């Protein structure tokens, strides 16, 4: 499994995850990409020993996609990005790598929160909350052991019996 990610990553401020105090589209994008890398790490742990590898890849910077060409000057080609994805698929030196962040074709270091089990657990708990609920329901944190989010080869699942909130992300 290759999650196409980004070198653009920003740590989560768990007191302002939704950026309600200071909205920034760039910050939101970078937090989302870090969240994706964090989920990659958790899924790699859940699939350990199955023969399935899970990695996050930053294929290239500012490829000429629709979103980039409207906002930035392209710095890489689509061919470069595709080539780095193919390297992840066929390179023998990466065949056994799992739970890694790869920048282009090299194993690299992601933001430190990606390697912090407590930060990853907090991120999953917050992702499983329903952002459209209000009051007590929005504050549901799946804190009881019976309601704790779980990561398995089938995906991530969380449920809060108190508020009837259920969420799951299915592994493809």
């Amino acid at each position: 499994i290759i999650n196409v990610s980004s070198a653009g990553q920003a740590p989560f401020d768990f007191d302002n995850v939704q950026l309600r105090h200071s909205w920034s589209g760039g910050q939101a994008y970078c937090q989302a990409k870090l969240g994706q890398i964090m989920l990659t790490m958790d899924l790699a742990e859940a699939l350990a020993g199955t023969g399935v590898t899970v990695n996050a890849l930053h294929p290239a910077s500012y490829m000429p996609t629709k979103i980039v060409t409207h906002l930035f000057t392209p710095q890489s080609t689509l061919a470069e990005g595709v080539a780095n994805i193919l390297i992840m698929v066929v390179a023998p030196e990466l065949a056994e790598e799992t739970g890694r962040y790869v920048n282009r074709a090299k194993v690299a270091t992601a933001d430190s929160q990606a390697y912090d089990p407590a930060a990853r657990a907090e991120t999953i708990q917050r992702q499983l909350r329903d952002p459209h609920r209000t009051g007590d329901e929005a504050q549901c944190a799946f804190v009881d052991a019976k309601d704790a989010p779980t990561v398995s080869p089938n995906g991530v699942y969380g449920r809060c019996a108190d508020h009837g909130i259920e969420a799951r992300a299915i592994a493809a």
Side-chain angles (χ1 to χ4, degrees), residues 6-36 62 72 111 113:
S6 177
Q9 304 159 33
F12 288 93
D13 171 357
F14 291 114
D15 293 326
N16 188 27
V17 173
Q18 297 293 325
L19 303 175
R20 293 173 200 253
H21 306 296
S22 56
W23 169 256
S24 161
Q27 179 77 10
Y29 173 86
C30 291
Q31 284 183 190
K33 290 302 180 176
L34 175 59
Q36 181 186 44
Y62 296 110
F72 306 103
D111 182 88
Q113 278 188 343

Side-chain angles (χ1 to χ4, degrees), residues 29-117:
Y29 173 86
C30 291
Q31 284 183 190
K33 290 302 180 176
L34 175 59
Q36 181 186 44
I37 294 167
M38 295 166 101
L39 186 58
T40 298
M41 303 297 180
D42 285 337
L43 190 55
E45 287 177 10
L47 293 172
T50 66
V52 176
T53 60
V54 186
N55 294 296
L57 170 69
H58 168 68
S61 295
Y62 296 110
M63 292 180 287
T65 61
K66 287 181 183 179
I67 192 168
V68 169
T69 57
H70 292 307
L71 299 171
F72 306 103
T73 301
Q75 297 177 2
S76 303
T77 66
L78 291 174
E80 181 182 357
V82 170
N84 286 322
I85 292 170
L86 288 174
I87 288 169
M88 288 291 302
V89 173
V90 301
E93 64 272 15
L94 296 173
E96 301 297 319
E97 294 288 338
T98 191
R100 302 284 189 253
Y101 165 68
V102 178
N103 188 336
R104 299 176 189 237
K106 297 183 189 232
V107 175
T109 302
D111 182 88
S112 62
Q113 278 188 343
Y115 307 101
D116 178 352

